[in-house]
Amino acid sequence: MGEQRATTFPQEIIDQWAGLGLDLGALFSAGHLGTRMSVQVLEAAPDRVVGTMPVEGNTQPYGLLHGGASAVLAETLGSVGAMLHGGPTKLAVGVDLNCTHHRGARSGLVTGVATPVHRGRSSATYEIAITDEDGKRVCSARLTCMLRDVDASVYHRG
């Protein structure tokens, strides 16, 4: 559904991760599940992550955006923010996700914007606002990730 856009990263993130020889767009993407749901991460920085997802193909039986689809978008965006906050020596693992669904969406794209509520050494919490094409809030979510120490070689595993 539509063309894939490359994720935009601030220069300091590109510089921080440059020595690892990784494709940042692939590393900080929505993964296999997100690909099936056509989630696109458009902007990624520790202080703001933006992504979109089509309603079409991600609906429940009544034709409305599935709440679980909103949760996938929210967890994807919050996790990317937490990973970027932690840097190459940390791995972000989601430990709590909650979503409040405010209104239904039947078509178009929804956009999620994740912003930090807390960024510490061992955890990061992001609020994710998901809106429809008219700018109306569809879902409010909050994700907390545990930040675990990791050797950067973990990123080279298949």
Side-chain angles (χ1 to χ4, degrees), residues 2-49:
E3 65 183 57
Q4 287 285 90
R5 288 183 39 193
T7 305
T8 303
F9 296 95
Q11 190 61 47
E12 60 266 17
I13 294 298
I14 294 169
D15 294 345
Q16 182 182 28
W17 291 78
L20 298 175
L22 300 171
D23 176 353
L24 291 185
L27 181 63
F28 298 111
S29 71
H32 295 293
L33 177 60
T35 298
R36 281 196 301 243
M37 297 175 69
S38 300
V39 171
Q40 290 189 41
V41 178
L42 305 177
E43 301 172 29
D47 60 344
R48 178 180 155 94
V49 182

Side-chain angles (χ1 to χ4, degrees), residues 12 18 43 60 62 75 100 117 123:
E12 60 266 17
E43 301 172 29
Q60 38 89 310
Y62 301 116
E75 184 151 359
T100 301
V117 174
S123 69

Side-chain angles (χ1 to χ4, degrees), residues 11 18 25 36 43-44 55 66-67 72 77 79 82 88 90 129 139 144 155 158:
Q11 190 61 47
R36 281 196 301 243
E43 301 172 29
V55 173
H66 196 291
V72 168
L77 301 178
S79 293
K90 298 284 186 176
C139 176
T144 298
Y155 297 114

Side-chain angles (χ1 to χ4, degrees), residues 32-154:
H32 295 293
L33 177 60
T35 298
R36 281 196 301 243
M37 297 175 69
S38 300
V39 171
Q40 290 189 41
V41 178
L42 305 177
E43 301 172 29
D47 60 344
R48 178 180 155 94
V49 182
V50 179
T52 61
M53 179 180 66
V55 173
E56 183 180 341
N58 294 312
T59 58
Q60 38 89 310
Y62 301 116
L64 297 171
L65 178 65
H66 196 291
S70 293
V72 168
L73 179 60
E75 184 151 359
T76 297
L77 301 178
S79 293
V80 167
M83 286 288 293
L84 290 171
H85 162 65
T89 63
K90 298 284 186 176
L91 184 66
V93 180
V95 294
D96 182 64
L97 173 66
N98 68 68
C99 300
T100 301
H101 306 287
H102 305 293
R103 67 184 324 110
R106 290 190 177 276
S107 63
L109 281 178
V110 291
T111 299
V113 178
T115 54
V117 174
H118 165 78
R119 291 187 296 177
R121 288 179 306 198
S122 61
S123 69
T125 299
Y126 281 76
E127 177 190 31
I128 304 93
I130 300 174
T131 57
D132 64 16
E133 289 180 329
D134 295 326
K136 294 180 180 174
R137 192 170 294 217
V138 173
C139 176
S140 296
R142 190 183 70 235
L143 173 71
T144 298
C145 290
M146 176 176 56
L147 300 174
R148 299 189 56 179
D149 291 329
V150 66
D151 185 294
S153 67
V154 73

